[in-house]
Amino acid sequence: MNDMHEANRRSWDAVSPKWQAKIDTEKPWRQVPVNPALVLEKEELRHLGDVAGKNVCVLGSGDNLIVFALAGMGADVTSVDVSQTQLDIAAGRARELGLAVTFLRADVTDLSALPTDRFDLVYTGGHVAVWISDLKTYYREAVRILQPEGLFMVTEYHPFRRIWEERPDCLQVEMAYFEQGPFQYDRSEDVPGAKPGSYPSYEFHWTVSDYAMAVIEAGCDLLALEEFGTSVEWEVTPLAGLPHLLMIVGRKSD
């Protein structure tokens, strides 16, 4: 694990209790297994189809709501995240829900703990790629663990929404669309009792073409590239008219 990924792991381990407490109060995670549409978009469900009995891996599982949805749909799910704290909290929720999920702590750029050609479907998305310094290695590992003809689904926060200053009155570009970073931030304010600067984190901004080409170069035939959604409840910046999500679906070549 490189130094920036290690810093991100430390920061996520530290902020996860506060983050997951919000999930407890704001997200109906107990309902997700019986109503996957709470967390999966209709466009995703259309491409996923019937996952019952399939081996599925979710990379960068975070709050694990997607994991719970897929497990509730009958899939045999492996949840992978860099933060052990995130995984431990999710494992407790999975037990409460009666879901049999395999949890694995790993950096998504090194999935050597998982065998080649193992899964029917690999899903990743939400806000995962922003924490990853090497998108091509990330997706190459994702496709490696797929069976031939397996499905690789990426659904990410649309990169058009990342370039703006956070202000409610107008749109002002803060960083160029083509500037990848790394961008360094301080997450210590989200950790009770932490000293300023004690939890640095690093973000990386990828373009639509970065995502698409990384999927193709990893060894997939492109099945779909879709942009959808219009609003996000937590955003301050007035981004009406811009797509919320970017979805790319690929099928692993023979």
Side-chain angles (χ1 to χ4, degrees):
M1 189 182 301
N2 67 41
D3 290 343
M4 290 181 290
H5 287 194
E6 173 61 18
N8 288 343
R9 183 199 65 76
R10 287 186 65 251
S11 69
W12 269 113
D13 274 349
V15 304
S16 287
K18 180 178 178 180
W19 173 261
Q20 293 286 8
K22 289 183 65 178
I23 300 296
D24 258 333
T25 58
E26 298 177 6
K27 302 290 185 181
W29 58 267
R30 292 176 180 84
Q31 301 172 29
V32 166
V34 295
N35 188 2
L38 289 171
V39 292
L40 286 164
E41 302 291 334
K42 64 180 185 297
E43 292 85 355
E44 294 177 295
L45 290 167
R46 174 164 46 86
H47 284 283
L48 286 169
D50 183 6
V51 298
K54 292 185 177 180
N55 292 317
V56 176
C57 186
V58 178
L59 299 178
S61 50
D63 58 26
N64 276 261
L65 299 184
I66 299 295
V67 169
F68 300 157
L70 293 167
M73 294 166 68
D76 181 2
V77 187
T78 297
S79 167
V80 178
D81 199 84
V82 74
S83 168
Q84 189 63 52
T85 306
Q86 293 268 62
L87 294 172
D88 289 345
I89 294 170
R93 290 177 179 163
R95 286 192 295 271
E96 179 178 334
L97 294 169
L99 300 175
V101 176
T102 301
F103 293 95
L104 172 67
R105 195 195 73 77
D107 185 319
V108 293
T109 62
D110 179 6
L111 300 175
S112 54
L114 296 172
T116 299
D117 298 344
R118 170 70 174 83
F119 296 96
D120 302 298
L121 166 70
V122 172
Y123 177 100
T124 188
H127 298 264
V128 181
V130 70
W131 304 105
I132 308 303
S133 63
D134 186 345
L135 188 70
K136 290 185 177 181
T137 298
Y138 168 22
Y139 286 3
R140 189 162 57 244
E141 277 289 88
V143 174
R144 178 188 64 78
I145 64 175
L146 267 178
Q147 295 181 9
E149 299 295 313
L151 206 65
F152 182 35
M153 177 175 287
V154 175
T155 305
E156 279 285 351
Y157 185 68
H158 202 290
F160 289 173
R161 303 181 90 90
R162 293 200 183 277
I163 68 173
W164 312 101
E165 288 185 6
E166 190 173 295
R167 50 190 302 175
D169 54 336
C170 68
L171 289 179
Q172 179 69 45
V173 172
E174 181 177 16
M175 57 197 71
Y177 176 68
F178 296 104
E179 188 176 355
Q180 292 181 344
F183 305 98
Q184 183 174 345
Y185 300 95
D186 178 20
R187 304 191 77 188
S188 60
E189 61 184 20
D190 294 321
V191 183
K195 295 180 180 179
S198 57
Y199 286 99
S201 68
Y202 299 88
E203 293 188 5
F204 308 86
H205 293 182
W206 308 106
T207 66
V208 172
S209 59
D210 288 332
Y211 285 114
M213 292 308 300
V215 171
I216 293 169
E217 291 176 14
C220 284
D221 298 322
L222 202 62
L223 300 183
L225 191 157
E226 300 183 25
E227 302 162 288
F228 49 86
T230 56
S231 63
V232 184
E233 59 185 18
W234 51 265
E235 289 176 334
V236 174
T237 311
L239 297 177
L242 289 177
H244 169 207
L245 296 171
L246 170 70
M247 181 181 71
I248 301 174
V249 183
R251 189 177 300 283
K252 184 175 181 177
S253 306
D254 288 336

